[in-house]
Amino acid sequence: MTLNQVPDHVPPEMVGDFSLFTSPGMLPTPDGDPQAATACVHAGPPIFYSPFNTRDGRGTWVITRATDQRRVLQDADTFSSHRSIFASALGENWPMIPLELDPPAHGVFRSLLNPLLSPKRVMALEPAVRERAIALIDSIAASGTSCDVMKDFAFPFAVSIFLRLLGLPDHRLHTFVGWAKDLLHGDDVKRPAAARTILAFIDELAAMRREEPVDDFMTFIVQAQVEGRRLTDEEVRGIGVLVFVAGLDTVAAAIGFDLAFLARHPEEQELLRSEPNRIVLAAEELLRAYPTVQIIRVARKDIDFEGAPIRKGDYVSCATMIANRDPTEFECPDTIDLMREDNRHAAFGYGPHRCLGSHLARRDIVIGLEEWLARLPAFRIKEGTAPITCGGHVFGIENLIVDWS
């Protein structure tokens, strides 16, 4: 079977004309809203087959209802996480850990890593997070009346916190962000090149920490034990790559989408400025409205799922942005209501693989918004400019120029 060809077992009436990569609003678009553009699937069936819905041109089943996505993400016996998303860019097959491990191995490594990003650990990091936000925003305020949100704030803020956690130097921040951008949003030439560069960096860092341990994340990993043994080189690499890549794009993108929304809604800005205690709740609604990740599982066996004949080896997409616009889950899902209560959004996934860094991501977003609104006056998208958004495996935003003159 060639890529984009619909497998024989998929009934023609179950093939849908939708892709997170190529549908309207998904390609790089000025003033786009790719998350809102996914809501169109809710006018159709609860599950359909998209012939082109991964970076490498594969088809996937698309699960549209939040409750069905939860079923898939809870059922590791039927739906495997092992996809080699990163390794496939190198033509290799090894898992990012624990993201692409299935139980019981997943639980072993998850237990090892949980304390590193626990609520307690995040609370200890909070003064440094706030200090970094304040320093960046004060510098922006001192240098004029407009800025490029992503370059001047979102990336330097979110990524520097993450680098501190990993024990990596800030002065290479822009280099690291460039690697992540090429890996997550680059073409067929940039992506493998970035993957090789990141892999070499992780391997080199692991070797250095074995020789000269310090108090940082990579030293912890190379010295850690699971089930009475040290980690293998491939396990160290699988953890290092996941944690490095995961921290370099998603939180910055979330902050970018949030500030783009506020730039277009001065009344919401004013509400959060005058009542900053509402920011925690507002951040949850912005996570619902602007999630950035498509989660994919691989069927481990043949199954009939809500009338869909899913066969062993089929890809199954649980896109967070689709679940978060489900009208059976959220009242008025296309309305962004910053006071929405009981917000069961799927921005961090669901089930045993729920995002390991969610506590840190939440605090980064809340603190970033608190300090931005406290230190800068009312802002808007700069006249004559338009942010560029894109869909894909990880949604993104750039060229977000705001002005407060």
Side-chain angles (χ1 to χ4, degrees), residues 155-223:
F155 277 117
F157 170 58
V159 176
S160 68
I161 300 307
F162 207 74
L163 295 180
R164 182 175 301 211
L165 190 77
L166 296 185
L168 295 173
D170 255 6
H171 69 264
R172 296 191 67 185
L173 185 143
H174 291 293
T175 305
F176 296 148
V177 169
W179 295 350
K181 188 178 175 186
D182 286 349
L183 180 76
L184 297 172
H185 307 289
D187 58 24
D188 291 346
V189 177
K190 285 181 175 174
R191 199 168 155 251
R196 275 189 291 274
T197 304
I198 291 168
L199 200 55
F201 173 77
I202 294 296
D203 286 348
E204 183 188 348
L205 185 64
M208 279 167 54
R209 294 300 186 253
R210 284 190 188 98
E211 289 291 313
E212 291 181 39
V214 296
D215 182 16
D216 72 357
F217 175 85
M218 188 52 89
T219 301
F220 172 83
I221 295 306
V222 298
Q223 293 182 345

Side-chain angles (χ1 to χ4, degrees), residues 19-22 25-28 34-35 38 53-56 83 85-86 96 99 150 155 177 179-186 191 242 245-255 257 290-296 317-321 347 388-398:
S19 161
L20 288 174
F21 290 77
T22 58
M26 298 302 146
L27 294 167
Q35 287 91 347
T38 68
N53 202 38
T54 67
R55 199 163 16 208
D56 52 6
R83 277 192 57 219
I85 302 170
F86 182 92
M96 289 191 287
L99 180 71
M150 302 311 291
F155 277 117
V177 169
W179 295 350
K181 188 178 175 186
D182 286 349
L183 180 76
L184 297 172
H185 307 289
R191 199 168 155 251
L242 171 66
V245 173
L248 286 182
D249 191 87
T250 48
V251 175
I255 290 170
F257 279 114
Y290 299 110
T292 58
V293 179
Q294 170 179 220
I295 301 169
I296 288 189
S317 165
C318 296
T320 55
M321 55 290 298
I388 308 287
T389 59
C390 67
H393 186 67
V394 178
F395 283 26
I397 182 167
E398 60 184 7

Side-chain angles (χ1 to χ4, degrees), residues 4-159:
N4 305 339
Q5 190 180 322
V6 177
D8 293 340
H9 63 270
V10 177
E13 66 275 13
M14 295 200 82
V15 178
D17 182 21
F18 176 81
S19 161
L20 288 174
F21 290 77
T22 58
S23 285
M26 298 302 146
L27 294 167
T29 310
D31 269 331
D33 189 345
Q35 287 91 347
T38 68
C40 66
V41 302
H42 291 294
I47 178 168
F48 64 91
Y49 191 85
S50 167
F52 183 106
N53 202 38
T54 67
R55 199 163 16 208
D56 52 6
R58 284 174 178 256
T60 75
W61 292 99
V62 177
I63 311 284
T64 68
R65 287 191 193 139
T67 183
D68 290 339
Q69 286 197 13
R70 289 194 287 269
R71 271 177 63 200
V72 169
L73 297 174
Q74 287 275 63
D75 183 2
D77 290 339
T78 307
F79 300 102
S80 170
S81 299
H82 184 50
R83 277 192 57 219
S84 299
I85 302 170
F86 182 92
S88 64
L90 301 163
E92 297 173 8
N93 181 28
W94 45 268
M96 289 191 287
I97 296 174
L99 180 71
E100 296 182 321
L101 291 181
D102 294 316
H106 170 264
V108 172
F109 284 92
R110 183 76 186 220
S111 299
L112 174 73
L113 296 173
N114 272 339
L116 296 178
L117 288 157
S118 66
K120 186 178 172 187
R121 182 79 200 275
V122 170
M123 205 183 292
L125 272 173
E126 188 156 319
V129 174
R130 198 169 293 279
E131 189 183 308
R132 180 68 173 146
I134 290 169
L136 284 164
I137 295 163
D138 284 353
S139 167
I140 288 167
S143 56
T145 56
S146 82
C147 77
D148 180 325
V149 169
M150 302 311 291
K151 286 181 182 166
D152 298 336
F153 179 62
F155 277 117
F157 170 58
V159 176

